[in-house]
Structure formats: structure tokens, C-alpha cells
Amino acid sequence: MIVGIGSDLIDIRRIERTLERHGERFTQRCFTEVERAKSDKRRMRAASYAKRYAAKEAGAKALGTGIARGVSWKEIGVVNLPGGKPTLELKGRALDWLARLTPPGHTPVVHITITDDHPWAQAFVVIEALPHAPSA
């Protein structure tokens, strides 16, 4: 069953201006070490950060909290699975909210898609609760 859906659209130029103006202060405040390492080595650095920013916003919306209601930027991180597929790693209060959304006897699964087409970056997050497999 679907327990949360979130989406976000951001202008990459906004992130470019923020990176120019605030640089490392912005990236340190909003992104995990993994996200910074990944984005900083990209040719399209601002687009990479913008996609991750949109994914965090979409993730917070899927949790039903938004960033301002108790979930911080670094408690939601975009990580890539070994094959490259992105997913969200939740920590702290974000993980607590996920536990509240997940019905007993279910396991949460976070689905995410991110894309960009200059000047836009977009992310969609769906949180699904799958029933535990019956014991054999």
C-alpha cells in the first residue's frame, strides 16, 4: 500500500546562485557527506545539487512533515544503490516519521526518481508499505 507521495520542482539557476553566494556553508548545512562527494565531482554540479535538494523536499512531503516541521535537511539523504538507482536514506526524526507511517506487519520501501532538464530539476518520492512475508 502507498503511505506517502511527494514531489518537488526546483529551478537549477536558484541553486547555482545559492552555491555562488554561500558555497560550502550551503552544502554543509543541507547535504550529507555522500551527497556532497557525489555532486562536487559532477560536471553539472548545480544540477546535481538541485536534484538532491528536490529529492529531499519530495521525501519530506512524502513523510507528511515538510522540512520545516521537525525533519532536517541532513536526515534525508540521496544515496545510490550499487546499480546506480537512487534511493533515500532516512535518519533521526525522518526515520521516526517513516516508522509512524508504516503499519504493523509491514516493511517500508522508498521509491524515488530524479531528473533534470535545464533549468529545472524534479523529484518524485513514493513510500510503499509491503506486508511481511508469512513465516514458512
Side-chain angles (χ1 to χ4, degrees):
M1 84 179 74
I2 304 299
V3 296
I5 299 174
S7 69
D8 194 64
L9 178 69
I10 188 166
D11 189 329
I12 295 167
R13 296 168 296 190
R14 176 179 162 210
I15 297 297
E16 284 174 324
R17 288 190 302 270
T18 303
L19 286 167
E20 288 168 7
R21 198 172 312 124
H22 301 289
E24 201 170 304
R25 195 171 105 212
F26 167 64
T27 60
Q28 290 285 333
R29 185 177 136 256
C30 294
F31 299 94
T32 67
E33 187 175 323
V34 169
E35 291 172 311
R36 290 190 313 270
K38 188 105 173 162
S39 292
D40 284 341
K41 65 182 175 183
R42 298 281 189 205
R43 186 174 57 84
M44 304 298 286
R45 182 174 178 250
S48 181
Y49 274 117
K51 288 187 286 189
R52 283 160 177 70
Y53 192 93
K56 290 167 176 285
E57 287 275 12
K61 291 172 185 176
L63 289 171
T65 65
I67 293 295
R69 289 191 40 216
V71 174
S72 74
W73 290 107
K74 287 186 171 182
E75 290 175 318
I76 300 174
V78 179
V79 296
N80 294 87
L81 299 176
K85 179 181 175 180
T87 190
L88 293 182
E89 180 178 68
L90 305 179
K91 297 178 181 177
R93 293 167 295 179
L95 191 57
D96 293 343
W97 275 103
L98 181 63
R100 287 183 205 143
L101 285 176
T102 307
H106 289 71
T107 301
V109 179
V110 178
H111 304 279
I112 177 174
T113 183
I114 55 178
T115 191
D116 68 287
D117 186 8
H118 196 76
W120 302 107
Q122 184 175 40
F124 290 97
V125 172
V126 175
I127 302 174
E128 180 180 23
L130 298 176
H132 294 160
S135 299

